Amino acid sequence: MYPISLGDDGAELRPLEPSRAEELLANIDRGREFVGRYIALPDVVTDLESSRAYLMAYAEKAAANAGRIYGIWTGGKLVGGVLFRTMDVEQGTAEAGCWLEPSAVGKGLVTRAARVIIDWAVEELGIHRVEWRAAAANEASIAVARRLGMTKDGVLRESYLYRGKRHDIEIWSVLAPEWRATEQLPRHHA
């Protein structure tokens, strides 16, 4: 099944397994400041040991059907990823997220990859509600939520303490019937 093609530009999506810890660390190192503007991943993945531990935690989540992490590769290089930070199959809910190094921005990679994993979660796992949480200032992430056909549910005011500052977090979501309806529309690859 893997890798999954993300379009004509050769981009691919694959599970990001613990054996890829060096690649993840290199990816985060290339985008440490950029990625770290809004999310804590660069604060968590700081060396090979922490990179491996992060991926092991997701391997355990995957085994328990409580989360998943996937890498986005272009030209054989890991440039970012999409993930289900949380997943509750019994309740039918999941929270999706992403990161991308600067060299890969503006090509629609996250949107294309998120479509693949959301479609899988809805159709294969029976997930009913997929959430997308983003700092209110993170315009790129909010744009992805919009492109995915999500609806803004609201704002958790100053709910996220990050690097000494409180941030508003926007919550976006798509429900399975909405997802299925939008998935019938023609897709335009970025």
Side-chain angles (χ1 to χ4, degrees):
M1 177 173 165
Y2 289 99
I4 293 173
S5 171
L6 293 177
D8 298 338
D9 59 2
E12 296 178 336
L13 182 73
R14 313 191 261 260
L16 195 48
E17 297 167 345
S19 62
R20 303 282 191 168
E22 286 185 43
E23 286 177 275
L24 176 61
L25 179 60
N27 165 238
I28 295 303
D29 283 345
R30 288 189 300 270
R32 192 165 294 282
E33 290 308 309
F34 179 78
V35 173
R37 291 177 308 161
Y38 301 109
I39 64 170
L41 181 57
D43 298 347
V44 174
V45 175
T46 57
D47 56 20
L48 189 54
E49 184 180 337
S50 60
S51 182
R52 192 172 289 114
Y54 181 77
L55 293 177
M56 282 299 296
Y58 269 93
E60 290 170 11
K61 281 185 179 188
N65 242 1
R68 295 275 195 297
I69 190 167
Y70 303 87
I72 301 169
W73 276 263
T74 60
K77 180 172 83 171
L78 178 66
V79 296
V82 289
L83 58 112
F84 287 115
R85 247 183 33 82
T86 61
M87 183 180 282
D88 184 331
V89 176
E90 189 175 310
Q91 284 294 313
T93 61
E95 180 194 337
C98 67
W99 79 94
L100 204 58
E101 68 181 61
S103 69
V105 170
K107 301 173 184 171
L109 294 169
V110 166
T111 302
R112 289 184 268 158
R115 279 192 183 117
V116 170
I117 70 166
I118 292 169
D119 197 59
W120 169 79
V122 168
E123 299 304 336
E124 301 296 322
L125 292 183
I127 296 295
H128 178 73
R129 174 186 167 88
V130 177
E131 286 187 358
W132 189 272
R133 294 176 178 230
N138 190 346
E139 295 173 14
S141 187
I142 290 166
V144 170
R146 284 193 176 104
R147 284 193 296 273
L148 292 171
M150 293 186 166
T151 299
K152 183 177 173 180
D153 291 335
V155 178
L156 299 175
R157 298 177 310 132
E158 297 186 6
S159 65
Y160 182 50
L161 180 61
Y162 180 57
R163 296 184 175 176
K165 184 180 174 203
R166 293 209 158 269
H167 297 265
D168 292 351
I169 296 296
E170 291 191 9
I171 309 228
W172 292 72
S173 69
V174 64
L175 305 179
E178 299 163 343
W179 181 256
R180 289 183 183 111
T182 62
E183 283 304 288
Q184 302 311 311
L185 300 173
R187 289 287 173 215
H188 302 286
H189 291 293

Tab-separated table of all heavy atoms in Angstrom, residues 128-170:
chain	number	residue	atom	x	y	z
A	128	HIS	N	-16.008	9.784	12.799
A	128	HIS	CA	-17.121	10.666	12.452
A	128	HIS	C	-16.712	12.141	12.429
A	128	HIS	O	-17.221	12.918	11.628
A	128	HIS	CB	-18.275	10.485	13.450
A	128	HIS	CG	-19.421	11.391	13.186
A	128	HIS	ND1	-20.287	11.203	12.123
A	128	HIS	CD2	-19.838	12.529	13.821
A	128	HIS	CE1	-21.188	12.169	12.124
A	128	HIS	NE2	-20.941	12.989	13.135
A	129	ARG	N	-15.801	12.532	13.327
A	129	ARG	CA	-15.405	13.948	13.444
A	129	ARG	C	-13.884	14.041	13.460
A	129	ARG	O	-13.228	13.417	14.303
A	129	ARG	CB	-15.966	14.534	14.739
A	129	ARG	CG	-15.513	15.949	15.035
A	129	ARG	CD	-15.992	16.399	16.429
A	129	ARG	NE	-15.319	17.626	16.845
A	129	ARG	CZ	-15.746	18.845	16.552
A	129	ARG	NH1	-16.838	19.019	15.843
A	129	ARG	NH2	-15.069	19.896	16.972
A	130	VAL	N	-13.338	14.817	12.527
A	130	VAL	CA	-11.903	15.092	12.510
A	130	VAL	C	-11.722	16.565	12.841
A	130	VAL	O	-12.290	17.437	12.183
A	130	VAL	CB	-11.277	14.770	11.140
A	130	VAL	CG1	-9.793	15.151	11.133
A	130	VAL	CG2	-11.449	13.294	10.801
A	131	GLU	N	-10.917	16.817	13.875
A	131	GLU	CA	-10.614	18.190	14.287
A	131	GLU	C	-9.255	18.613	13.767
A	131	GLU	O	-8.361	17.781	13.568
A	131	GLU	CB	-10.582	18.314	15.817
A	131	GLU	CG	-11.921	18.280	16.459
A	131	GLU	CD	-11.864	18.579	17.956
A	131	GLU	OE1	-10.763	18.787	18.515
A	131	GLU	OE2	-12.947	18.606	18.563
A	132	TRP	N	-9.113	19.911	13.615
A	132	TRP	CA	-7.852	20.543	13.232
A	132	TRP	C	-7.700	21.729	14.161
A	132	TRP	O	-8.570	22.605	14.192
A	132	TRP	CB	-7.947	20.998	11.772
A	132	TRP	CG	-6.682	21.484	11.161
A	132	TRP	CD1	-6.191	22.767	11.184
A	132	TRP	CD2	-5.760	20.717	10.392
A	132	TRP	NE1	-5.024	22.835	10.478
A	132	TRP	CE2	-4.741	21.588	9.968
A	132	TRP	CE3	-5.709	19.382	10.009
A	132	TRP	CZ2	-3.661	21.166	9.195
A	132	TRP	CZ3	-4.639	18.956	9.237
A	132	TRP	CH2	-3.632	19.839	8.838
A	133	ARG	N	-6.642	21.752	14.964
A	133	ARG	CA	-6.410	22.847	15.895
A	133	ARG	C	-5.194	23.624	15.437
A	133	ARG	O	-4.174	23.028	15.097
A	133	ARG	CB	-6.186	22.315	17.316
A	133	ARG	CG	-7.428	21.651	17.871
A	133	ARG	CD	-7.194	21.040	19.235
A	133	ARG	NE	-8.431	20.454	19.721
A	133	ARG	CZ	-8.938	20.688	20.926
A	133	ARG	NH1	-8.306	21.471	21.768
A	133	ARG	NH2	-10.071	20.131	21.271
A	134	ALA	N	-5.319	24.957	15.453
A	134	ALA	CA	-4.211	25.798	14.997
A	134	ALA	C	-4.193	27.089	15.795
A	134	ALA	O	-5.254	27.632	16.132
A	134	ALA	CB	-4.374	26.119	13.510
A	135	ALA	N	-2.989	27.570	16.072
A	135	ALA	CA	-2.868	28.896	16.675
A	135	ALA	C	-3.554	29.887	15.748
A	135	ALA	O	-3.428	29.798	14.521
A	135	ALA	CB	-1.400	29.256	16.871
A	136	ALA	N	-4.298	30.834	16.322
A	136	ALA	CA	-5.057	31.793	15.518
A	136	ALA	C	-4.159	32.572	14.559
A	136	ALA	O	-4.606	32.987	13.493
A	136	ALA	CB	-5.834	32.734	16.436
A	137	ALA	N	-2.898	32.728	14.907
A	137	ALA	CA	-1.960	33.463	14.042
A	137	ALA	C	-1.366	32.581	12.940
A	137	ALA	O	-0.697	33.091	12.040
A	137	ALA	CB	-0.841	34.052	14.895
A	138	ASN	N	-1.600	31.274	12.998
A	138	ASN	CA	-1.005	30.349	12.030
A	138	ASN	C	-1.874	30.282	10.769
A	138	ASN	O	-2.641	29.349	10.556
A	138	ASN	CB	-0.831	28.965	12.664
A	138	ASN	CG	0.001	28.037	11.813
A	138	ASN	OD1	0.255	28.292	10.636
A	138	ASN	ND2	0.416	26.935	12.414
A	139	GLU	N	-1.735	31.301	9.933
A	139	GLU	CA	-2.586	31.437	8.752
A	139	GLU	C	-2.449	30.261	7.791
A	139	GLU	O	-3.434	29.847	7.167
A	139	GLU	CB	-2.291	32.752	8.043
A	139	GLU	CG	-2.662	33.961	8.882
A	139	GLU	CD	-2.222	35.271	8.264
A	139	GLU	OE1	-1.861	35.291	7.065
A	139	GLU	OE2	-2.252	36.280	8.985
A	140	ALA	N	-1.255	29.707	7.647
A	140	ALA	CA	-1.053	28.596	6.715
A	140	ALA	C	-1.839	27.364	7.163
A	140	ALA	O	-2.478	26.691	6.346
A	140	ALA	CB	0.429	28.269	6.593
A	141	SER	N	-1.811	27.065	8.444
A	141	SER	CA	-2.532	25.904	8.959
A	141	SER	C	-4.038	26.107	8.843
A	141	SER	O	-4.778	25.187	8.479
A	141	SER	CB	-2.133	25.636	10.410
A	141	SER	OG	-2.709	24.433	10.866
A	142	ILE	N	-4.502	27.309	9.114
A	142	ILE	CA	-5.926	27.607	8.998
A	142	ILE	C	-6.360	27.506	7.533
A	142	ILE	O	-7.453	27.011	7.231
A	142	ILE	CB	-6.237	28.979	9.620
A	142	ILE	CG1	-6.079	28.865	11.150
A	142	ILE	CG2	-7.626	29.476	9.237
A	142	ILE	CD1	-6.026	30.173	11.890
A	143	ALA	N	-5.500	27.907	6.618
A	143	ALA	CA	-5.811	27.786	5.189
A	143	ALA	C	-5.977	26.317	4.792
A	143	ALA	O	-6.832	25.986	3.973
A	143	ALA	CB	-4.725	28.454	4.349
A	144	VAL	N	-5.167	25.427	5.387
A	144	VAL	CA	-5.313	23.994	5.110
A	144	VAL	C	-6.684	23.522	5.591
A	144	VAL	O	-7.400	22.817	4.873
A	144	VAL	CB	-4.186	23.161	5.763
A	144	VAL	CG1	-4.485	21.667	5.665
A	144	VAL	CG2	-2.843	23.476	5.118
A	145	ALA	N	-7.072	23.910	6.796
A	145	ALA	CA	-8.387	23.513	7.324
A	145	ALA	C	-9.498	23.945	6.370
A	145	ALA	O	-10.419	23.176	6.078
A	145	ALA	CB	-8.601	24.109	8.713
A	146	ARG	N	-9.381	25.165	5.863
A	146	ARG	CA	-10.394	25.654	4.904
A	146	ARG	C	-10.380	24.807	3.633
A	146	ARG	O	-11.446	24.427	3.133
A	146	ARG	CB	-10.115	27.112	4.559
A	146	ARG	CG	-10.520	28.074	5.628
A	146	ARG	CD	-10.513	29.523	5.094
A	146	ARG	NE	-10.988	30.411	6.120
A	146	ARG	CZ	-10.188	31.201	6.842
A	146	ARG	NH1	-8.884	31.221	6.628
A	146	ARG	NH2	-10.707	31.970	7.771
A	147	ARG	N	-9.197	24.540	3.086
A	147	ARG	CA	-9.094	23.746	1.850
A	147	ARG	C	-9.637	22.333	2.038
A	147	ARG	O	-10.081	21.710	1.090
A	147	ARG	CB	-7.646	23.706	1.341
A	147	ARG	CG	-7.216	24.998	0.667
A	147	ARG	CD	-5.917	24.853	-0.096
A	147	ARG	NE	-4.776	24.543	0.724
A	147	ARG	CZ	-4.004	25.434	1.346
A	147	ARG	NH1	-4.246	26.729	1.236
A	147	ARG	NH2	-2.973	25.043	2.062
A	148	LEU	N	-9.580	21.839	3.273
A	148	LEU	CA	-10.107	20.503	3.572
A	148	LEU	C	-11.624	20.521	3.772
A	148	LEU	O	-12.220	19.482	4.037
A	148	LEU	CB	-9.424	19.928	4.816
A	148	LEU	CG	-7.936	19.603	4.644
A	148	LEU	CD1	-7.312	19.262	5.998
A	148	LEU	CD2	-7.740	18.465	3.650
A	149	GLY	N	-12.232	21.684	3.653
A	149	GLY	CA	-13.681	21.781	3.794
A	149	GLY	C	-14.152	21.792	5.234
A	149	GLY	O	-15.314	21.499	5.521
A	150	MET	N	-13.262	22.138	6.150
A	150	MET	CA	-13.617	22.152	7.566
A	150	MET	C	-14.375	23.425	7.923
A	150	MET	O	-14.281	24.436	7.227
A	150	MET	CB	-12.363	22.017	8.427
A	150	MET	CG	-11.705	20.658	8.284
A	150	MET	SD	-10.327	20.479	9.431
A	150	MET	CE	-10.063	18.713	9.335
A	151	THR	N	-15.096	23.347	9.019
A	151	THR	CA	-15.861	24.467	9.562
A	151	THR	C	-15.185	24.928	10.846
A	151	THR	O	-14.784	24.093	11.672
A	151	THR	CB	-17.307	24.011	9.885
A	151	THR	OG1	-17.930	23.578	8.680
A	151	THR	CG2	-18.119	25.126	10.528
A	152	LYS	N	-15.077	26.239	11.022
A	152	LYS	CA	-14.513	26.774	12.263
A	152	LYS	C	-15.545	26.640	13.370
A	152	LYS	O	-16.627	27.210	13.302
A	152	LYS	CB	-14.109	28.244	12.071
A	152	LYS	CG	-13.461	28.853	13.290
A	152	LYS	CD	-13.034	30.279	12.973
A	152	LYS	CE	-12.540	31.007	14.194
A	152	LYS	NZ	-12.132	32.392	13.852
A	153	ASP	N	-15.198	25.834	14.377
A	153	ASP	CA	-16.100	25.614	15.505
A	153	ASP	C	-16.003	26.733	16.535
A	153	ASP	O	-16.968	27.032	17.219
A	153	ASP	CB	-15.773	24.289	16.203
A	153	ASP	CG	-16.111	23.077	15.364
A	153	ASP	OD1	-16.986	23.180	14.489
A	153	ASP	OD2	-15.493	22.023	15.587
A	154	GLY	N	-14.815	27.292	16.675
A	154	GLY	CA	-14.654	28.344	17.663
A	154	GLY	C	-13.202	28.567	18.018
A	154	GLY	O	-12.296	28.022	17.384
A	155	VAL	N	-13.000	29.383	19.035
A	155	VAL	CA	-11.661	29.753	19.484
A	155	VAL	C	-11.538	29.466	20.974
A	155	VAL	O	-12.409	29.860	21.751
A	155	VAL	CB	-11.378	31.253	19.218
A	155	VAL	CG1	-9.999	31.644	19.737
A	155	VAL	CG2	-11.511	31.576	17.741
A	156	LEU	N	-10.489	28.781	21.344
A	156	LEU	CA	-10.151	28.598	22.759
A	156	LEU	C	-9.192	29.744	23.100
A	156	LEU	O	-8.006	29.697	22.768
A	156	LEU	CB	-9.495	27.232	22.979
A	156	LEU	CG	-10.355	26.026	22.615
A	156	LEU	CD1	-9.547	24.739	22.774
A	156	LEU	CD2	-11.595	25.973	23.481
A	157	ARG	N	-9.728	30.765	23.722
A	157	ARG	CA	-8.952	31.971	23.978
A	157	ARG	C	-7.818	31.711	24.964
A	157	ARG	O	-8.026	31.159	26.027
A	157	ARG	CB	-9.865	33.079	24.507
A	157	ARG	CG	-10.934	33.462	23.498
A	157	ARG	CD	-11.898	34.515	24.006
A	157	ARG	NE	-12.434	34.169	25.300
A	157	ARG	CZ	-12.491	35.020	26.334
A	157	ARG	NH1	-12.059	36.249	26.222
A	157	ARG	NH2	-12.994	34.622	27.481
A	158	GLU	N	-6.613	32.109	24.553
A	158	GLU	CA	-5.404	32.019	25.380
A	158	GLU	C	-5.268	30.668	26.072
A	158	GLU	O	-4.827	30.590	27.217
A	158	GLU	CB	-5.364	33.173	26.382
A	158	GLU	CG	-5.271	34.524	25.697
A	158	GLU	CD	-5.082	35.687	26.649
A	158	GLU	OE1	-4.906	35.470	27.870
A	158	GLU	OE2	-5.095	36.831	26.160
A	159	SER	N	-5.607	29.596	25.366
A	159	SER	CA	-5.599	28.258	25.976
A	159	SER	C	-4.269	27.538	25.843
A	159	SER	O	-4.056	26.526	26.500
A	159	SER	CB	-6.697	27.398	25.354
A	159	SER	OG	-6.419	27.170	23.982
A	160	TYR	N	-3.390	28.032	24.988
A	160	TYR	CA	-2.137	27.321	24.705
A	160	TYR	C	-0.954	28.165	25.135
A	160	TYR	O	-0.651	29.189	24.514
A	160	TYR	CB	-2.082	26.999	23.207
A	160	TYR	CG	-0.873	26.222	22.757
A	160	TYR	CD1	-0.470	25.063	23.396
A	160	TYR	CD2	-0.137	26.647	21.660
A	160	TYR	CE1	0.622	24.341	22.964
A	160	TYR	CE2	0.965	25.931	21.209
A	160	TYR	CZ	1.342	24.781	21.863
A	160	TYR	OH	2.431	24.072	21.437
A	161	LEU	N	-0.309	27.748	26.211
A	161	LEU	CA	0.896	28.422	26.683
A	161	LEU	C	2.078	27.828	25.937
A	161	LEU	O	2.364	26.629	26.056
A	161	LEU	CB	1.064	28.232	28.194
A	161	LEU	CG	2.290	28.898	28.815
A	161	LEU	CD1	2.249	30.419	28.608
A	161	LEU	CD2	2.365	28.554	30.298
A	162	TYR	N	2.728	28.641	25.131
A	162	TYR	CA	3.833	28.157	24.306
A	162	TYR	C	4.952	29.185	24.304
A	162	TYR	O	4.733	30.352	23.948
A	162	TYR	CB	3.329	27.888	22.886
A	162	TYR	CG	4.384	27.382	21.943
A	162	TYR	CD1	5.100	26.224	22.233
A	162	TYR	CD2	4.676	28.057	20.782
A	162	TYR	CE1	6.077	25.754	21.376
A	162	TYR	CE2	5.647	27.593	19.914
A	162	TYR	CZ	6.344	26.450	20.215
A	162	TYR	OH	7.316	25.993	19.367
A	163	ARG	N	6.110	28.733	24.752
A	163	ARG	CA	7.293	29.587	24.815
A	163	ARG	C	7.014	30.893	25.560
A	163	ARG	O	7.406	31.976	25.130
A	163	ARG	CB	7.855	29.836	23.415
A	163	ARG	CG	8.365	28.553	22.759
A	163	ARG	CD	9.004	28.799	21.422
A	163	ARG	NE	9.573	27.558	20.903
A	163	ARG	CZ	10.139	27.449	19.705
A	163	ARG	NH1	10.233	28.499	18.911
A	163	ARG	NH2	10.629	26.299	19.310
A	164	GLY	N	6.304	30.753	26.662
A	164	GLY	CA	6.069	31.890	27.547
A	164	GLY	C	4.940	32.822	27.153
A	164	GLY	O	4.701	33.821	27.823
A	165	LYS	N	4.228	32.503	26.088
A	165	LYS	CA	3.140	33.363	25.627
A	165	LYS	C	1.868	32.539	25.466
A	165	LYS	O	1.916	31.393	25.052
A	165	LYS	CB	3.529	33.983	24.279
A	165	LYS	CG	2.524	34.963	23.752
A	165	LYS	CD	2.962	35.544	22.414
A	165	LYS	CE	1.838	36.417	21.857
A	165	LYS	NZ	1.906	36.573	20.426
A	166	ARG	N	0.732	33.146	25.803
A	166	ARG	CA	-0.557	32.471	25.636
A	166	ARG	C	-1.096	32.740	24.236
A	166	ARG	O	-1.122	33.880	23.782
A	166	ARG	CB	-1.556	32.940	26.688
A	166	ARG	CG	-1.138	32.498	28.072
A	166	ARG	CD	-2.357	32.302	28.966
A	166	ARG	NE	-1.981	31.417	30.061
A	166	ARG	CZ	-2.106	30.099	30.035
A	166	ARG	NH1	-2.610	29.493	28.999
A	166	ARG	NH2	-1.734	29.366	31.061
A	167	HIS	N	-1.539	31.677	23.576
A	167	HIS	CA	-2.053	31.768	22.218
A	167	HIS	C	-3.509	31.325	22.176
A	167	HIS	O	-3.890	30.364	22.846
A	167	HIS	CB	-1.250	30.865	21.267
A	167	HIS	CG	0.185	31.249	21.155
A	167	HIS	ND1	0.656	32.064	20.157
A	167	HIS	CD2	1.256	30.936	21.925
A	167	HIS	CE1	1.956	32.235	20.311
A	167	HIS	NE2	2.347	31.564	21.382
A	168	ASP	N	-4.296	32.018	21.345
A	168	ASP	CA	-5.645	31.557	21.028
A	168	ASP	C	-5.516	30.374	20.077
A	168	ASP	O	-4.681	30.394	19.165
A	168	ASP	CB	-6.453	32.654	20.317
A	168	ASP	CG	-6.785	33.842	21.209
A	168	ASP	OD1	-6.545	33.771	22.431
A	168	ASP	OD2	-7.291	34.839	20.662
A	169	ILE	N	-6.344	29.372	20.274
A	169	ILE	CA	-6.351	28.193	19.395
A	169	ILE	C	-7.703	28.109	18.697
A	169	ILE	O	-8.748	28.091	19.353
A	169	ILE	CB	-6.097	26.891	20.192
A	169	ILE	CG1	-4.703	26.907	20.817
A	169	ILE	CG2	-6.284	25.656	19.296
A	169	ILE	CD1	-3.541	26.915	19.841
A	170	GLU	N	-7.654	28.086	17.371
A	170	GLU	CA	-8.873	27.892	16.595
A	170	GLU	C	-9.122	26.400	16.448
A	170	GLU	O	-8.190	25.635	16.216
A	170	GLU	CB	-8.765	28.541	15.207
A	170	GLU	CG	-8.737	30.045	15.273
A	170	GLU	CD	-8.888	30.699	13.912
A	170	GLU	OE1	-9.185	30.003	12.905
A	170	GLU	OE2	-8.706	31.934	13.859
